[in-house]
Every structure is written in structure tokens, then in C-alpha cells.
Amino acid sequence: MVSFSRRCLFAFLLAAAADALRVPQACPAIPSLTSFNDTALPDLFTFLDGRKVKTLADWACKREEISTLMQRDELGTLPGRPESMNVSFSGNTLTIGVTQSGKNITFAPTITYPTTGTAPFPALIGMGGVSIPTPSGVAIIQFNNEQMAAQDTAASRGQGLFFNLYGSDASAGAMIAWAWAVRLIMDALEKTPEANINTGRVGVTGCSRNGKGALVAGAFEPRLVLTIPQESGSGGTDSWRISDFILSTGISTQTASEIVQENVWLSSNFDQFANTSVNKLPFDHHSLAALVAPRGMFAIDNLGYDWLGPFSSYGAMISARTVWTAMGVSDFMGVSQAANHTHCVFPSTQQPQLNAFIQKFLFDEQTDTDIVETAGNYTFEVPDAQWAPWSVPKFV
Ligand SMILES: *[C@@H]1O[C@H](CO)[C@@H](O)[C@H](O)[C@H]1NC(C)=O
Ligand SMILES: *[C@@H]1O[C@H](CO)[C@@H](O)[C@H](O)[C@H]1NC(C)=O
Ligand SMILES: *[C@@H]1O[C@H](CO)[C@@H](O)[C@H](O)[C@H]1NC(C)=O
Ligand SMILES: *[C@@H]1O[C@H](CO)[C@@H](O)[C@H](O)[C@H]1NC(C)=O
Ligand SMILES: *[C@@H]1O[C@H](CO)[C@@H](O)[C@H](O)[C@H]1NC(C)=O
Ligand SMILES: *[C@@H]1O[C@H](CO)[C@@H](O)[C@H](O)[C@H]1NC(C)=O
């Protein structure tokens, strides 16, 4: 039995960094899903072949099932490590050179070091920048995600350094391309002790469209110990299904069918679902967030913008949190929805909550992160008859 006692908590997180959720040999096969059609968020504790997810080893398989299908049907393929990578560090710049199939690219995240604290420093990777206040003692690694994969319009498909390497017809949408680059940043930091970053204490954050990207990076890069998507909306913390429902009640909310017309965050493989019915997806974005477990996650939202679908985010995040609950660490996953404020301007009301997550996951302090809070008039618990009609086990 795996128990996440507080004592072994950080040991576990480090082990997760070394891929403790290693996929066992005998996972259930993924059935043909031609008739999948579920109006509710798919049950995180049942394999698609009907078997139940009862143990942490089962979860490693379920996690693989979700990852495989999300890459296939929504995000596009996350390539393996490239043939070669070299790194140089100079000033505050980490220059990463990558070669693959005779092609090469170079990208160069910059690091802003804190003026307090001790090296090697914990760090946050800023997906296209950081919109939360810089925590004291934490380095900020600026990742220029748009150079890696453009996100200007629907015409941006296949543009950016990632596609110079893997071809403009690669299945990857922009977000999985960014996640690929974040993995290389972690590899580069591990090879570069002189960069003075504690690679066991790195998180990721971003706001709005870059918050969508921060969630995907946190989901697919297991060495990140803290994922902070901020006001990420559909394609981020929102459920495709709930957002469609909200739109159907006349509230202007971003949905799958809109998003595939607007930009290239997702693979074009997703169009078939966005154009017909998201109920055919054997996952939703509660599944995406669940890939982060048991690592730290803090989902930050803003009730002021219908477009962000705050109830959709709430329902999806409360549903995702059940996986942390099954693991016995529900407090590693926080949900906070503040009252109306300007988009991506972090409100002071959420500062103590953010501090608690930063202190726990980047500094090993035993803070209280048992946070589920909304300024909205929402009640949502699992099981929820309409959206999450499934029960939550305790993993044995
Ligand atoms: C999917 O299920 C809904 C009801 O839950 C039904 O109305 C619809 O016809 C089904 N679609 C398909 C393609 O089976
Ligand atoms: C990687 O190695 C190549 C060949 O030696 C060199 O030209 C390039 O500058 C190196 N890139 C980095 C980022 O160190
Ligand atoms: C990178 O590709 C360019 C051509 O695109 C080539 O001139 C250069 O030699 C390559 N560099 C390495 C290190 O392979
Ligand atoms: C989805 O709909 C858009 C707009 O009607 C169209 O351009 C695209 O080809 C469709 N894609 C698929 C896979 O149905
Ligand atoms: C949010 O606040 C802004 C002003 O700060 C206001 O213009 C807007 O109407 C408010 N939105 C809602 C949904 O209350
Ligand atoms: C919250 O929602 C319920 C049900 O929709 C409604 O009866 C109640 O008045 C709402 N409360 C507030 C404070 O808006």
C-alpha cells in the first residue's frame, strides 16, 4: 500500500520527478471508442474497458490512457527527446541547441534571480511571462512560448521553432509543443548546475492563453512540482462539456467549436470533436488536470468574465481534485475563484493562498493548502448527478 503521509510527502514528489508513476507493463488496452458518447465528465476511476481504478498502480495506467488519448484526439503528439541537445549558460541566459533529423534550432530562456534566498534557487517557469507577483526567493525563467509555436491566429498552425524541427505538418498543437520545450528546459537546467536552479523545486505558471499552456506543461512534465494556471478558461481549466452547456443557456463563453476557429493551441485532430460533439471525447479537462496529481496545483480564476466560463472551471477542477483525494493529498490541489477584477491582474485576496502553495511546494514548508474557494454562487461536489456521476475511491 502506498500512503502519502506528510513525512514521505516530499520524498514522494522527488520520486515522482524521477517518474515514480512509471507505467506498469500490463495496462488495460484502450478499446475502440467509435461509440463513446457521454454528456457527463468521464469517470476518472474507470478504465475505458470498464475496469475500476483502485490502486496507485492502476492510476499510473489510467494516467497513461488519458495521456495517450489526449495526445491523439486533442493536443497532438508530444515527441520523445530529440536526437541531441547541448546547452550553454552565460549571463542570465540558458541557450539550448537541439538537433533532430539533420535540422537544428536554438532557443534561450532567460533567468531573473531573486535578490533574497539561497542558491540553488527554486524557480517558476513563466509561460510567455508571469502574471502572479514574483514570490520572494524564487527565480523566474522566462520562456518565449510564441517563438516555439506561434499562437497569433488560426493561420499560425505549424509555425515556430518546434515545427522547424518536426515539420509544419506535425500533429502537435501549440500547447504540446510548448510542453516539449519545457521538458528541454528542465533537461538543460539539470545539465547546468552553474545556473543555480534547484531542479527539484521548479513550477510553471501563465495567464489566460498562456495559462492553458501552463496547465498542459504541468500535466506532461512530471518534474514540475507546482502548476499554477491563472484565468485559463476553455482549453485550460474549463470542461469542454460544461462550457458548451453554459453557452447553450445564452452566456457568451469560449467553447471547443470557437477555439478551433480562433487559434492553434490544439491539434487539428480535435476539429472533428469540436465540430460535432465534445461528448465523444473519452476525457475532458478534469482529466488533463488530473495528470498533474499528486504534484502541487493551484487553479486561479476570476469571476468577472463570462468568456472564461468560471463555473466550467469550477466543475472541472473540483472533479479533477478527486484524484488527489483518492491519493490522500486533496490539499495538494487548490481551487480559488476571486470576484471580478481585471483579467490577469492578480488580486490581493488570493495572495495568502498563493503564498501557501509557493511555500509548500517550492520551499518544503508545511503550510495549509486545503483551499477550495469561490466568490461565485456555485455548489459542486463529486458525485454530481449531472456532471460527475461517479464515486471517489481511496487508493489502496
Ligand atoms: C449521444 O447521446 C445523446 C444522449 O445522451 C443522444 O441524444 C445522441 O443521439 C447520442 N449521439 C450519438 C452519436 O450516439
Ligand atoms: C551546440 O554545439 C554546436 C556544435 O558544436 C555549436 O555550434 C553550438 O553553438 C552549440 N550550442 C549551444 C547552445 O551550446
Ligand atoms: C544548423 O542548421 C544550419 C542550417 O539550417 C546549419 O548551417 C548549421 O551547421 C547547423 N548547426 C548544427 C550545429 O548542426
Ligand atoms: C470543422 O469546421 C470548420 C469550419 O466549418 C472547417 O473549416 C473544418 O474543415 C472542419 N473540420 C473537420 C475535421 O470537420
Ligand atoms: C467587472 O468590473 C469592471 C470594472 O472593474 C466592470 O466594467 C465590469 O462590468 C465588471 N464585470 C462584471 C461581470 O461584474
Ligand atoms: C445562488 O443560487 C441559488 C440557486 O440558483 C439561488 O436560489 C440563490 O438566490 C443564489 N444566491 C445568491 C447569493 O446569488
Side-chain angles (χ1 to χ4, degrees):
M1 154 158 182
V2 179
S3 141
F4 294 96
S5 72
R6 304 288 125 172
R7 285 179 62 80
C8 73
L9 159 64
F10 289 102
F12 180 81
L13 281 171
L14 289 172
D19 213 355
L21 293 175
R22 210 179 304 285
V23 181
Q25 292 301 307
C27 288
I30 298 173
S32 126
L33 295 165
T34 45
S35 61
F36 193 89
N37 180 23
D38 195 345
T39 56
L41 308 189
D43 181 353
L44 295 173
F45 303 105
T46 303
F47 289 105
L48 289 166
D49 76 354
R51 281 197 254 172
K52 292 290 175 192
V53 177
K54 295 178 189 159
T55 66
L56 193 66
D58 289 344
W59 175 255
C61 283
K62 180 66 185 174
R63 192 180 184 282
E64 188 66 9
E65 185 183 88
I66 293 169
S67 165
T68 300
L69 291 172
M70 285 203 89
Q71 288 180 64
R72 191 190 73 183
D73 294 341
E74 184 184 315
L75 298 166
T77 302
L78 172 66
R81 284 191 166 76
E83 282 160 15
S84 74
M85 181 187 88
N86 59 355
V87 192
S88 59
F89 181 68
S90 168
N92 291 348
T93 303
L94 192 65
T95 303
I96 303 172
V98 185
T99 60
Q100 174 73 32
S101 310
K103 298 171 189 152
N104 66 78
I105 61 169
T106 299
F107 68 112
T110 56
I111 306 177
T112 305
Y113 290 93
T115 52
T116 58
T118 18
F121 299 101
L124 284 172
I125 296 174
M127 183 68 72
V130 169
S131 301
I132 53 173
T134 299
S136 116
V138 174
I140 300 294
I141 300 168
Q142 292 283 351
F143 167 48
N144 182 350
N145 57 334
E146 296 184 352
Q147 178 197 41
M148 189 55 60
Q151 58 169 342
D152 296 327
T153 65
S156 302
R157 188 161 300 285
Q159 294 175 14
L161 294 177
F162 174 92
F163 299 99
N164 295 354
L165 217 51
Y166 290 104
S168 59
D169 59 350
S171 69
M175 295 200 290
I176 204 80
W178 301 338
W180 173 86
V182 166
R183 180 208 280 154
L184 294 187
I185 293 171
M186 292 301 293
D187 287 350
L189 290 169
E190 285 181 351
K191 284 175 192 273
T192 314
E194 62 273 29
N196 263 327
I197 298 299
N198 180 347
T199 53
R201 291 289 174 269
V202 180
V204 65
T205 186
C207 195
S208 200
R209 54 182 53 200
N210 295 329
K212 305 179 203 296
L215 177 56
V216 172
F220 284 88
E221 174 43 64
R223 285 169 294 183
L224 296 170
V225 295
L226 180 59
T227 299
I228 310 177
Q230 182 184 8
E231 302 184 45
S232 61
S234 284
T237 56
D238 287 10
S239 151
W240 298 122
R241 288 168 173 83
I242 305 179
S243 292
D244 272 5
F245 168 78
I246 294 173
L247 181 65
S248 77
T249 68
I251 298 171
S252 175
T253 297
Q254 186 169 42
T255 60
S257 60
E258 188 280 340
I259 219 166
V260 299
Q261 304 293 324
E262 180 186 340
N263 219 304
V264 294
W265 296 305
L266 306 167
S267 173
S268 50
N269 293 347
F270 187 58
D271 292 356
Q272 58 187 304
F273 299 96
N275 282 5
T276 56
S277 172
V278 296
N279 296 342
K280 294 181 189 170
L281 293 166
F283 52 78
D284 204 317
H285 275 219
H286 66 314
S287 324
L288 176 66
L291 298 181
V292 177
R295 293 168 289 130
M297 173 160 171
F298 185 42
I300 301 172
D301 263 302
N302 177 355
L303 293 170
Y305 297 81
D306 288 344
W307 190 247
L308 292 174
F311 174 68
S312 179
S313 179
Y314 194 70
M317 292 302 97
I318 298 300
S319 299
R321 196 172 189 256
T322 59
V323 174
W324 280 265
T325 302
M327 292 173 174
V329 289
S330 56
D331 60 321
F332 287 13
M333 199 282 193
V335 180
S336 177
Q337 301 199 301
N340 183 22
H341 59 87
T342 305
H343 187 45
C344 294
V345 175
F346 186 77
S348 59
T349 51
Q350 288 174 321
Q351 188 71 58
Q353 302 171 341
L354 176 63
N355 292 349
F357 272 91
I358 296 285
Q359 292 307 313
K360 178 175 279 177
F361 291 98
L362 300 187
F363 292 98
D364 289 9
E365 288 180 14
Q366 296 299 303
T367 55
D368 179 3
T369 51
D370 190 6
I371 296 162
V372 174
E373 201 173 286
T374 178
N377 184 18
Y378 307 143
T379 50
F380 191 103
E381 278 173 27
V382 179
D384 175 88
Q386 182 177 4
W387 295 115
W390 27 273
S391 55
V392 181
K394 277 256 173 273
F395 288 158
V396 291

